[in-house]
Amino acid sequence: MCMRGRQFWQKKRNMSHKNDPNEPRYVFSTATAADNADILELLRRSPIRMEMDYVMDRQNNFFLLHDWLPETRVLLARDAATGELQGFLSLLKLRGCVDGREISFQYVTDLIKAPENRNAFLMKRLLNYGFVQYFDTPLIFGLINARNNPARRFSTSVQLQYPGDAVHTFHYLEMAPLWRQRINRRYTLRQAEDQATMDQAMALINRHYGRHALFQPLNREELARQLEVLPGFSAADVWLLEENGQLLGSMITYRPDDLSSLILMRMDRWSRFLFRLIRGVHRITGLLFDPPEEGGHIRTLQVRYLAGNEEVRRVLLRAANNMAYAEKRHSVSMLVDAADPLEPSSWVTYRYQSLLYANGRDRALVARLKEGLVWMDVVWG
């Protein structure tokens, strides 16, 4: 690009950074509990467009999903004339480690704009407002479905103060628990029953994920905090896999029923045919799982941590499958680095490719995320 072209786009970008909260058309602000009803109403009529369309259900409290995190901001854009909510987004402030150094970073999520709003610049202005008000970490990023081209163009727009670069790839796995899977009898799966077994599970998880960038090592204080504040999370979600008394693997699961769920709005033709076939077999024979229907909630079992060698992790995933099958859940979900060799536990698995778009004041840190493995928690990711 020539010098004159660069100057033109820099001028355009600088103009877009002027985020006066009292700008005539929209008013930008930080949400409070009083905004809950408006946020939920907009969320319910804003489907997530992927291979299948979903609506997020936050169980009548939008803020509950992020209240268990140390620091969260929800930013709003309202019509200045009517006060109607036109868009919102969430900024989560988190901590993790990169090459042994603990850092803080911000995660952008929940970017929702009113379906009838055609202003192409609204969410960019709102995000820039968030940059100005709250961006105080060396790194900021968001996770975007690889097939969501509008969101990808949004993330790289020169009208953003910090346009993102696609630096890493994740796979979001939704594995259908079709039937109970066999686990070799030489393995023993048990729940953590006291602090000593909790410590064993955490130590194994910390070793396994120690080379993953952004992973925050678990300790007694952090796990105790999550057990206290994360709805529905308990010590019964911490699992250990042993063989002849030797600890081989560890898994932490989560049932987000009291926190958040997805409502299935539309299926593609293949999924509709497949689910009807499976549902027919289930109703006639009692075999297989009962898949979700359009308009119904998807009940999932999330796998947050999965530690061990490849064979051990496959066994743990089979155990998660059996838990979901016994509880009549529709899926086992997990967020994994695309370079992770983990094989799904079900032959009916939806694998959504997600791209990590990042930027920040520390360019070396942004570049570092292109290398090696990266970890993200499926609960907030």
Side-chain angles (χ1 to χ4, degrees):
M1 182 182 295
C2 68
M3 179 62 69
R4 182 173 297 178
R6 284 196 294 269
Q7 290 173 345
F8 170 79
W9 283 111
Q10 185 62 46
K11 182 178 179 180
K12 291 275 288 184
R13 195 168 82 175
N14 290 341
M15 289 176 63
S16 70
H17 293 170
K18 298 176 182 177
N19 282 278
D20 181 359
N22 299 311
E23 178 253 4
R25 191 168 181 183
Y26 298 105
V27 176
F28 301 151
S29 64
T30 302
T32 67
D35 298 300
N36 183 64
D38 287 347
I39 295 174
L40 289 176
E41 190 276 331
L42 179 53
L43 188 66
R44 288 174 184 137
R45 58 189 182 90
S46 304
I48 303 167
R49 309 281 185 190
M50 295 195 297
E51 287 84 345
M52 295 190 281
D53 293 351
Y54 305 93
V55 168
M56 184 69 71
D57 183 1
R58 290 290 183 85
Q59 311 298 337
N60 297 319
N61 186 349
F62 177 84
F63 299 94
L64 191 61
L65 178 60
H66 300 319
D67 277 351
W68 67 282
L69 297 170
E71 186 176 335
T72 302
R73 311 280 189 200
V74 180
L75 307 181
L76 308 179
R78 290 187 178 275
D79 188 290
T82 66
E84 292 182 358
L85 184 62
Q86 296 298 303
F88 65 87
L89 62 84
S90 299
L91 282 176
L92 317 182
K93 192 172 183 179
L94 307 163
R95 300 193 68 82
C97 292
V98 178
D99 298 330
R101 176 170 64 102
E102 186 176 73
I103 64 164
S104 59
F105 55 89
Q106 286 182 311
Y107 179 61
V108 183
T109 186
D110 300 325
L111 278 85
I112 299 293
K113 186 175 72 169
E116 67 276 7
N117 189 299
R118 301 303 180 190
N119 190 317
F121 303 101
L122 173 61
M123 298 307 292
K124 296 171 188 175
R125 291 180 59 86
L126 183 59
L127 185 52
N128 281 339
Y129 171 75
F131 287 148
V132 172
Q133 296 294 319
Y134 299 116
F135 184 30
D136 58 357
T137 62
L139 178 68
I140 189 166
F141 62 83
L143 200 61
I144 296 173
N145 185 282
R147 298 181 64 176
N148 190 341
N149 292 323
R152 294 178 64 181
R153 289 193 296 270
F154 171 90
S155 298
T156 58
S157 172
V158 295
Q159 293 164 338
L160 292 175
Q161 185 172 357
Y162 291 97
D165 295 326
V167 297
H168 212 84
T169 304
F170 285 88
H171 287 156
Y172 182 76
L173 304 178
E174 289 279 1
M175 297 165 278
L178 294 175
W179 52 69
R180 185 175 182 83
Q181 297 181 358
R182 181 180 176 276
I183 297 177
N184 195 299
R185 291 184 179 181
R186 73 174 187 269
Y187 295 116
T188 301
L189 182 72
R190 64 188 181 98
Q191 294 165 309
E193 55 198 23
D194 52 30
Q195 189 60 62
T197 50
M198 285 276 198
D199 290 344
Q200 287 181 307
M202 287 190 291
L204 186 56
I205 288 170
N206 289 342
R207 285 198 301 272
H208 180 87
Y209 289 103
R211 57 197 179 100
H212 288 63
L214 304 183
F215 171 68
Q216 176 69 28
L218 292 173
N219 54 46
R220 289 186 178 184
E221 293 75 19
E222 174 58 20
L223 190 59
R225 187 189 71 81
Q226 292 188 23
L227 290 171
E228 180 180 358
V229 303
L230 186 55
F233 184 50
S234 71
D237 291 305
V238 181
W239 299 88
L240 300 93
L241 187 72
E242 298 176 341
E243 182 181 6
N244 297 324
Q246 180 183 358
L247 179 62
L248 300 178
S250 179
M251 173 175 67
I252 296 183
T253 58
Y254 181 57
R255 295 160 178 80
D257 304 350
D258 298 328
L259 192 67
S260 175
S261 65
L262 293 174
I263 300 175
L264 178 59
M265 303 303 294
R266 184 196 62 82
M267 286 186 272
D268 56 44
R269 291 181 180 178
W270 164 246
S271 298
R272 190 178 294 115
F273 167 77
L274 179 63
F275 283 7
R276 283 177 179 172
L277 180 63
I278 293 173
R279 188 177 298 111
V281 173
H282 173 77
R283 289 177 177 175
I284 294 172
T285 68
L287 302 174
L288 305 183
F289 85 132
D290 191 9
E293 299 189 61
E294 291 181 336
H297 284 79
I298 298 177
R299 299 180 65 243
T300 188
L301 174 69
Q302 295 177 336
V303 177
R304 300 180 62 195
Y305 303 89
L306 193 69
N309 62 34
E310 288 187 44
E311 179 183 356
V312 166
R313 297 172 81 209
R314 283 195 296 269
V315 172
L316 287 168
L317 268 189
R318 292 190 200 112
N321 172 91
N322 294 347
M323 295 174 203
Y325 182 79
E327 297 170 15
K328 301 186 184 304
R329 295 184 177 273
H330 299 124
S331 73
V332 176
S333 59
M334 189 175 181
L335 187 63
V336 299
D337 191 297
D340 192 318
L342 181 69
E343 288 295 325
S345 59
S346 171
W347 66 267
V348 177
T349 294
Y350 290 87
R351 185 190 298 263
Y352 300 107
Q353 187 180 71
S354 298
L355 302 177
L356 188 72
Y357 281 81
N359 202 336
R361 299 182 177 92
D362 190 336
R363 295 301 302 169
L365 186 58
V366 174
R368 169 63 181 82
L369 295 183
K370 297 180 180 181
E371 307 168 0
L373 298 169
V374 179
W375 177 86
M376 289 182 65
D377 192 340
V378 67
V379 176
W380 53 257

